[in-house]
Amino acid sequence: MAADNKNKKTILTLNQNKIKGIKTVMVTAYDYPQSRMAEEAGVDCILVGDSLGMTTLGYKTTIPVTMDDMIRSCEAVSKGASNAFLIGDMPYMSYQQSNELAVENAGRFIRSGMDMVKVEGAMYDRIKAICDSGIMVMSHLGLTPHTRAKLGGYKVQGKTAEQAEIVLKQAIKLQEAGCSALLLEAMPKEPAQMIANELSIPVYGIGAGDAVDGQLVIFHDLMGLFWEFKSKFVKRYCEAGTIMVDALEKYCSDVREMKFPTSEHFYEIKESELEKLLGDDRWKYELDHDYYNNQNHSVTPITKNDTTTKR
């Protein structure tokens, strides 16, 4: 059995961060390159979010995302990040039907390399069942995309004292059910702070102010790779999408103007082997005269249907 990775972030790390007042940094990732970048940057946690439906698969919402979509993404992310704490997002209808289904699907996430699963809503029985099976759970309250229709759309939650009190009571019951962390989405700072102070488990925010125990941002939002809309809480740290489009335009131009590829991008063939090819009737094409002259080859081009090797 392999020894534990001493640099690996664990639930103990996250709990200590809360106790010491150290903000935990969390970002989403959906594939191997993104998780490699997040790992190299030193993030504490990576959430493989069902937001991949919108950022990666082109869906308008997260609802169509399947367990197979999520597991494939989790497997890729786990290969790229060995130190970050990894959380898998349970997609729509992967846990709502029964405790048995919830535990089974949560187990698939752990087998794919995740350390914890995330479950939307005040699903007390489901979360208790998953926790009782030995799997850690992050609950998700506030704006919950799976039930956005019931909430009236993508609306900020906890804007009234009554709403904030409801979320607080839900959070306390979820902690009692055994969840190890909580994510609050799209809430004013003050009720989010109240909940974070009330709970002993780490409470993170995505659009929930700066008084929670850490922040989550969608990878594509902070990189400038998502164009459909921009939420109020999003801060773009670069415009990678624009940079990438510029690079692709340059590539298109270079190919069409025959500036790419050039000789530095070619693979070489020994002159003796080239001469064998040129002497074979199956090879009837014109070689690039300038290229072979520049490479000091003694072979000069032959014309089509000419099977004689010229020297």
Side-chain angles (χ1 to χ4, degrees):
M1 180 180 293
D4 287 342
N5 175 7
K6 295 181 179 180
N7 296 318
K8 170 74 176 178
K9 305 291 175 63
T10 70
I11 189 62
L12 300 179
T13 310
L14 307 186
N15 289 335
Q16 282 298 308
N17 282 356
K18 180 180 178 76
I19 293 170
K20 296 178 181 179
I22 301 171
K23 299 295 185 182
T24 294
V25 180
M26 186 184 308
V27 70
T28 63
Y30 312 101
D31 59 29
Y32 177 77
Q34 292 168 11
S35 64
R36 283 289 302 269
M37 287 186 276
E39 177 97 336
E40 187 172 340
V43 303
D44 300 305
C45 300
I46 295 176
L47 169 67
V48 186
D50 63 359
S51 47
L52 78 88
M54 301 169 74
T55 62
T56 306
L57 302 179
Y59 298 134
K60 296 300 180 183
T61 70
T62 62
I63 298 301
V65 177
T66 67
M67 274 295 298
D68 287 344
D69 291 333
M70 293 303 306
I71 295 303
R72 188 175 297 110
S73 187
C74 287
E75 289 172 344
V77 166
S78 66
K79 291 179 175 66
S82 58
N83 295 330
F85 188 82
L86 304 180
I87 306 169
D89 201 355
M90 298 191 71
Y92 183 65
M93 296 309 293
S94 66
Y95 56 90
Q96 288 92 336
Q97 293 176 335
S98 68
N99 289 348
E100 291 75 17
L101 180 64
V103 172
E104 179 183 351
N105 282 331
R108 289 186 65 188
F109 277 99
I110 302 306
R111 284 194 294 269
S112 73
M114 298 296 101
D115 300 304
M116 176 186 283
V117 297
K118 181 173 80 65
V119 178
E120 280 192 21
M123 306 289 290
Y124 309 119
D125 290 342
R126 301 290 180 268
I127 287 171
K128 186 177 188 305
I130 296 172
C131 293
D132 286 348
S133 75
I135 298 172
M136 292 185 289
V137 176
M138 171 188 280
S139 296
H140 180 171
L141 296 177
L143 171 57
T144 48
H146 291 176
T147 56
R148 75 198 184 289
K150 185 178 180 180
L151 298 173
Y154 293 104
K155 305 291 186 181
V156 177
Q157 302 298 303
K159 294 182 70 174
T160 68
E162 181 181 6
Q163 290 177 348
E165 186 66 27
I166 290 172
V167 178
L168 173 59
K169 289 180 179 179
Q170 290 176 337
I172 292 172
K173 288 187 68 175
L174 287 167
Q175 179 175 263
E176 292 172 350
C179 71
S180 300
L182 174 66
L183 177 67
L184 297 175
E185 181 171 356
M187 290 186 64
K189 169 183 175 177
E190 291 78 10
Q193 180 178 10
M194 176 180 66
I195 294 169
N197 290 342
E198 186 70 23
L199 268 59
S200 60
I201 61 175
V203 177
Y204 306 121
I206 176 169
D210 62 353
V212 288
D213 298 314
Q215 298 294 326
L216 167 67
V217 177
I218 303 296
F219 184 95
H220 290 61
D221 284 340
L222 70 89
M223 291 292 188
L225 291 170
F226 188 72
W227 302 273
E228 277 67 14
F229 60 85
K230 180 181 177 182
S231 301
K232 176 182 174 62
F233 60 81
V234 169
K235 178 178 179 179
R236 292 196 187 279
Y237 285 82
C238 70
E239 292 294 342
T242 299
I243 295 170
M244 293 165 75
V245 170
D246 288 344
L248 286 167
E249 288 177 347
K250 177 62 175 171
Y251 165 66
C252 291
S253 175
D254 281 358
V255 170
R256 289 166 182 151
E257 296 176 11
M258 297 186 69
K259 295 180 180 178
F260 174 83
T262 60
S263 59
E264 63 184 297
H265 308 113
F266 300 164
Y267 291 108
E268 295 292 330
I269 184 172
K270 292 181 179 180
E271 185 174 334
S272 59
E273 296 301 318
L274 178 60
E275 290 184 353
K276 292 178 185 178
L277 287 177
L278 295 176
D280 192 321
D281 287 346
R282 293 175 299 173
W283 298 87
K284 297 180 174 66
Y285 58 88
E286 294 182 4
L287 296 176
D288 186 327
H289 179 72
D290 291 335
Y291 167 69
Y292 280 100
N293 282 347
N294 290 338
Q295 297 298 314
N296 296 318
H297 284 288
S298 61
V299 179
T300 56
I302 59 174
T303 59
K304 292 179 180 177
N305 301 322
D306 182 359
T307 59
T308 303
T309 302
K310 299 181 180 180
R311 304 190 192 287

